Structures are given as structure tokens and as C-alpha cells.
Amino acid sequence: MLHDVNAGVAVVGCGSAAPAVCLDNEALSQMVETSDEWISSRTGIRKRRLASSEDSLRSLSVQACQNALAMAGVEAADVDLILLATSTPDDLFGTASRIQFELGATKAVAFDLTAACSGFVFGLVTASQFIRTGAYKTVLLIGADVLSRWTDWSDRRTCVLFGDGAGAVVLQATEGSDRLLGFELRSDGSLNSSLNLAFQGETRSLVDGKTVTQGNFQPITMNGQEIYRFAVRRVPEVIEKALFRADRTVEQVDWLLLHQANQRILDAVGDRLSIPSHKIISNMAEYGNTSAASIPLALDEWVRTGKIQSGDTIAAAGFGAGLTWGAVIFQWGR
């Protein structure tokens, strides 16, 4: 059913969830040759949450959604669309529909969206198009990942980085001013090998010379230096382009909300944009890199602690595997 075409978009609620199990740097140093000082000085990460056998991407996502719906004052039955941004679904065929069922969002269509650490930003832009065209009025967007499933815990270059979690936001059509001000999305497949969670298979003969390839996905591999150089060069550019489209200046940004990958990247992007450190949102010290969950996890914390106020202008940017990157400028609240 079509609603008003050219409706505005507002982000009216947020929620998050993280597993109870916490692995700090000291405990990690008992597994691989590293130390709290080495990890924290190079990444800014001190702890990460890990999904236990009792947790799932679905259970974390449902909890985050329930918290977001409660803040927004929206019933699950009134949600029209559920988007799940993830690279680590419980089921490769998709997990969003199971979340829809468990929430009781009986009229919502649900599907997964994969853009790795950029997933939440890509999802925010995707959700806004459904609202602006009048297709849907209320959208639930989830960013969630359980990277511990695909981390090589013997590789000290990568195992120090990743954690598990989920975050969600409620977007609604508004007849007033449009709160999603501008965006810019980019992809570059030539750099795909810099960060992978790749399928590896072996040839299996079936009959009469016909073969298939069967196997499994392998643990995460990453060229950290290449990703750092990519992020500090491309992320400021994409934020500036999004600000141009939003007709806003850097000085009008209240909060810089980047994918929580590495504190050095956050600091470098802030420096290049001349955004002071007190405007840069960071909680990676407690959660590590949670991929598509990192931006909504940090957003939820800053909103619930009263730091982000209604009407604040947020420049959010994601970047990661693909490689993909993008930025969206929006104002918080109705």
C-alpha cells in the first residue's frame, strides 16, 4: 500500500544488544602473543563481547529491535519493513524473516542486506528510499554481526579486533522536515582482497564428468595497513560529498559517528575534517569492531546517556569489506 510520495524520513528510536560474555585484552594475551598495551595503543580496543552457545544473531537482533521500538513508541505490528544488515547470518538463506516472526511484526516484509562494515549506512539509505517513494511508512533497520564465528583466534593480527553485537533504529515517514539530509555511497571491488571472509571449496565429482564445488567459508583475513590507508583517505572524502548533498558544512556537524574499527582511523578522519575530538563518538574500547552493528551500538549509547539530543546533526560513515564505504547526514529525532 502506497503512502504519501516524497515523504520525509525521521530516525525516531534506537536500541542495542550485546552478549554477556566479555573477553578483555589481558585474557586474550593468554591465547596469543600480545598484550593489553599493544592492542589498546594500536587500536583503542580493550574488550570485546562474544556470543555464547546460547546467543545467536537472531536473539541479539530481536533484543535490539525491542529496545528500539520501545523508545520510538511503535508496536511491532505497525512495522512495514525490516532490513537486516549483516555478514554473519544464522542462515545463509537469510535471518531477517525469523526476526520478523519472533518480533510479531506480522505485516512487515523482511530481508537481509550485506555490505559488511558499511551495512548499516547502506541500510539507512535503502530504508529511506522505501519511505520517500511512499512504499512504506515505518521501517526497522538492524545492524548485527557475530564475527567471533569467523575469527581465527590464533591470528593475533585479526583476533584482537572483532566482537559481537546488534543495534537497531526505527525510521518513520514524516510530513514535516526531512531529517535524512544527504548521503554518498561508494564501492571498489579492485580492493576486495584487502578484507575477506571467503568461501573455499574442493571439487567433487558427481557423475559422467560433472562436478560441483563444496566447502565452507574460511576465517577473516585482512591487510590492516591497506584498510587503514583506504579509510583515512576515502572516508573524509565521502563525508564531505554527503555534506555537500545535505547543504551542510563541517561546522554544522554535532557528532561524527564512524564505524568503530580503529581509534587511529577515527582520530585521523577527525583531523582531516577539522572535527574536534569531543564531537567524535567512540565506544570501541568496550565492544571492539562489531562490523554492521558498530554504528547503531554507539548511537544507542550516546542517545541513552543524553549526549545526543533531538535535532542534533550526525555525520555517520561506514567502511570495510567489498570494499565499500559511505556516509549519511541526518538529524536525530522527530
Side-chain angles (χ1 to χ4, degrees):
M1 179 178 179
L2 288 176
H3 300 281
D4 292 337
V5 179
N6 298 321
V9 180
V11 184
V12 299
C14 59
S16 62
V21 175
C22 179
L23 181 69
D24 62 20
N25 290 345
E26 184 177 350
L28 193 56
S29 68
Q30 300 173 31
M31 300 165 48
V32 293
E33 186 180 349
T34 188
S35 68
D36 174 63
E37 192 279 331
W38 191 92
I39 299 169
S40 59
S41 65
R42 287 164 175 77
T43 69
I45 298 167
R46 294 188 178 276
K47 303 175 183 176
R48 68 282 299 148
R49 303 292 187 89
L50 304 180
S52 70
S53 59
E54 298 178 356
D55 297 311
S56 64
L57 185 89
R58 183 185 72 254
S59 65
L60 293 171
S61 297
V62 168
Q63 184 180 343
C65 289
Q66 289 171 337
N67 293 337
L69 290 167
M71 179 185 288
V74 173
E75 297 295 328
D78 294 326
V79 175
D80 301 304
L81 170 67
I82 298 173
L83 292 178
L84 170 62
T86 188
S87 300
T88 56
D90 295 335
D91 182 338
L92 278 178
F93 287 158
T95 301
S97 294
R98 184 60 186 270
I99 294 169
Q100 176 253 356
F101 168 72
E102 294 197 12
L103 284 173
T106 52
K107 75 171 184 176
V109 62
F111 62 88
D112 292 22
L113 178 154
T114 300
C117 301
S118 304
F120 184 80
V121 168
F122 277 46
L124 197 59
V125 173
T126 301
S128 71
Q129 307 314 305
F130 282 102
I131 292 174
R132 285 175 169 166
T133 58
Y136 300 122
K137 184 177 180 181
T138 301
V139 179
L140 190 53
L141 169 64
I142 310 157
D145 271 300
V146 184
L147 292 175
S148 61
R149 292 172 173 171
W150 301 106
T151 297
D152 181 351
W153 291 100
S154 66
D155 180 5
R156 69 171 186 167
R157 297 168 300 176
T158 57
C159 74
V160 301
L161 302 174
F162 301 114
D164 305 332
V169 295
V170 178
L171 297 94
Q172 284 193 315
T174 173
E175 296 179 359
S177 60
D178 195 340
R179 295 300 187 104
L180 198 147
L181 307 175
F183 67 87
E184 182 79 9
L185 304 179
R186 294 296 181 91
S187 300
D188 185 355
S190 70
L191 299 173
N192 177 263
S193 61
S194 299
L195 181 53
N196 290 116
L197 202 173
F199 174 84
Q200 182 175 316
E202 296 181 354
T203 300
R204 177 184 174 185
S205 179
L206 298 179
V207 64
D208 297 333
K210 296 177 175 62
T211 62
V212 294
T213 301
Q214 292 190 318
N216 205 344
F217 291 93
Q218 301 303 298
I220 298 166
T221 62
M222 183 175 70
N223 183 329
Q225 291 183 338
E226 185 64 38
I227 293 297
Y228 178 86
R229 288 193 293 266
F230 148 73
V232 298
R233 181 176 70 252
R234 295 302 186 191
V235 174
E237 291 177 357
V238 81
I239 291 172
E240 287 176 334
K241 289 182 182 297
L243 284 168
F244 175 79
R245 295 182 184 279
D247 194 23
R248 294 292 190 278
T249 64
V250 171
E251 291 73 24
Q252 291 175 295
V253 172
D254 295 300
W255 301 101
L256 179 63
L257 176 53
L258 301 181
H259 165 51
Q260 306 287 294
N262 185 306
Q263 188 62 45
R264 287 181 172 181
I265 293 176
L266 270 63
D267 294 340
V269 172
D271 287 343
R272 294 201 177 194
L273 293 171
S274 297
I275 293 178
S277 59
H278 70 269
K279 289 186 175 183
I280 302 175
I281 296 173
S282 175
N283 70 350
M284 73 181 69
E286 298 295 316
Y287 297 98
N289 178 343
T290 56
S291 192
S294 76
I295 289 177
L297 264 172
L299 174 68
D300 188 48
E301 181 176 333
W302 254 246
V303 168
R304 291 183 186 273
T305 55
K307 297 174 184 177
I308 293 177
Q309 298 289 312
S310 181
D312 281 359
T313 298
I314 300 168
F319 51 92
L323 295 179
T324 60
W325 67 106
V328 60
I329 314 301
F330 68 97
Q331 291 176 305
W332 170 256
R334 290 182 169 85

